[in-house]
Amino acid sequence: DAAAVVDGVSLNDLLLPGPNLLTNIMGLLTRFRAGRYAVSADIEGMFSQVWVEDTDIPMLAFLWRNLDESKDPDVYVSQRHMFGATSSPTCANFALRFAGKQGESKHPGIASVVRRQFYMDDFYASRDTIPQASTLAKQTCKVLSDAGFRLTKWIANDRGIISEFPEDERNPGVKDLKVEVLPDDKALGLKWSCEDDAF
């Protein structure tokens, strides 16, 4: 717990937050709805996919004794960024953008997609045709997978696009595509009706 205070100081008091690398939410919403076919996904455990610099690991030490007060606690260190630390959002976003840049040679334009179509760990994009939307989703998935980021909870406003992802990678509401109506989902704090394709 990076916000826990001991002797008047927390870990977050000692961490620099870094620059805000989040995409402008209104711009992202506009881009998300610019094309006819929209797709959305989530990076699984984003912060825990990003390694901490070796020199910083000692700052993430913690004690653990599994509630057994009869023994001295063991000391562990977190080697990955943790949820709740002031610096984690910037570090994770930097790693995400770096992954996009790494994929640029094989998939031109993917760096811009990663930079502009994510809000933290949430991916929102649209294209004018089903093949374009499917290709974008698959390319983004591949590039980020190569960097250790797994995109899951895929959902779209078209069953054909959703069907291109394995059931275990789909949004829980679309595991079975025989449902009569595609479910509602959340998109940047708004309720998105996938069936009606409306907020």
Side-chain angles (χ1 to χ4, degrees), residues 105-147:
S105 61
K106 289 184 181 175
H107 303 284
I110 198 71
S112 176
V113 169
V114 170
R115 189 179 70 253
R116 295 168 44 91
Q117 302 300 150
F118 276 88
Y119 191 81
M120 190 51 71
D121 59 347
D122 296 318
F123 173 66
Y124 300 100
S126 66
R127 292 295 184 261
D128 290 327
T129 68
I130 291 172
Q132 288 172 338
S134 292
T135 299
L136 175 68
K138 288 179 186 176
Q139 285 179 351
T140 305
C141 196
K142 171 71 172 122
V143 167
L144 295 186
S145 175
D146 289 348

Side-chain angles (χ1 to χ4, degrees), residues 9 28 131 158 164:
V9 180
L28 179 53
D158 178 83
E164 300 205 25

Side-chain angles (χ1 to χ4, degrees), residues 1 22 33 44 47 69 80 91 107 114 125 133 140 152 166 189:
D1 181 1
L22 291 175
R33 301 313 309 135
E44 184 177 62
F47 291 168
E69 295 182 19
R80 310 286 182 105
C91 293
H107 303 284
V114 170
T140 305
T152 63

Side-chain angles (χ1 to χ4, degrees), residues 4-5 47 78 113 131-132 137 192 194:
V5 176
F47 291 168
S78 177
V113 169
Q132 288 172 338
W192 175 40
C194 297

Side-chain angles (χ1 to χ4, degrees), residues 1-182:
D1 181 1
V5 176
V6 176
D7 294 331
V9 180
S10 73
L11 175 59
N12 277 342
D13 292 334
L14 306 174
L15 292 172
L16 295 174
N20 179 359
L21 299 179
L22 291 175
T23 301
N24 176 283
I25 200 163
M26 287 307 298
L28 179 53
L29 271 173
T30 302
R31 288 187 297 278
F32 177 49
R33 301 313 309 135
R36 168 68 184 93
Y37 297 96
V39 294
S40 173
D42 177 76
I43 296 175
E44 184 177 62
M46 182 177 182
F47 291 168
S48 62
Q49 306 311 316
V50 182
W51 290 91
V52 173
E53 287 286 332
D54 289 344
T55 54
D56 295 336
I57 286 175
M59 289 295 292
L60 301 179
F62 61 95
L63 304 176
W64 185 259
R65 61 180 173 194
N66 203 25
L67 302 177
D68 183 354
E69 295 182 19
S70 67
K71 68 175 204 168
D72 289 336
D74 295 316
V75 178
Y76 293 91
V77 291
S78 177
Q79 295 179 314
R80 310 286 182 105
H81 285 276
M82 57 189 188
F83 188 79
T86 298
S87 57
S88 292
T90 296
C91 293
N93 267 293
F94 180 85
L96 183 67
R97 288 179 177 202
F98 184 79
K101 288 178 185 175
Q102 294 292 101
E104 189 71 17
S105 61
K106 289 184 181 175
H107 303 284
I110 198 71
S112 176
V113 169
V114 170
R115 189 179 70 253
R116 295 168 44 91
Q117 302 300 150
F118 276 88
Y119 191 81
M120 190 51 71
D121 59 347
D122 296 318
F123 173 66
Y124 300 100
S126 66
R127 292 295 184 261
D128 290 327
T129 68
I130 291 172
Q132 288 172 338
S134 292
T135 299
L136 175 68
K138 288 179 186 176
Q139 285 179 351
T140 305
C141 196
K142 171 71 172 122
V143 167
L144 295 186
S145 175
D146 289 348
F149 292 110
R150 181 173 179 248
L151 281 166
T152 63
K153 300 180 186 173
W154 284 98
I155 194 163
N157 59 357
D158 178 83
R159 286 172 173 78
I161 297 170
I162 300 168
S163 71
E164 300 205 25
F165 292 93
E167 283 186 26
D168 65 327
E169 292 180 6
R170 295 181 199 160
N171 181 295
V174 291
K175 300 272 185 201
D176 178 7
L177 288 175
K178 294 175 185 168
V179 295
E180 286 186 33
V181 177
L182 289 174

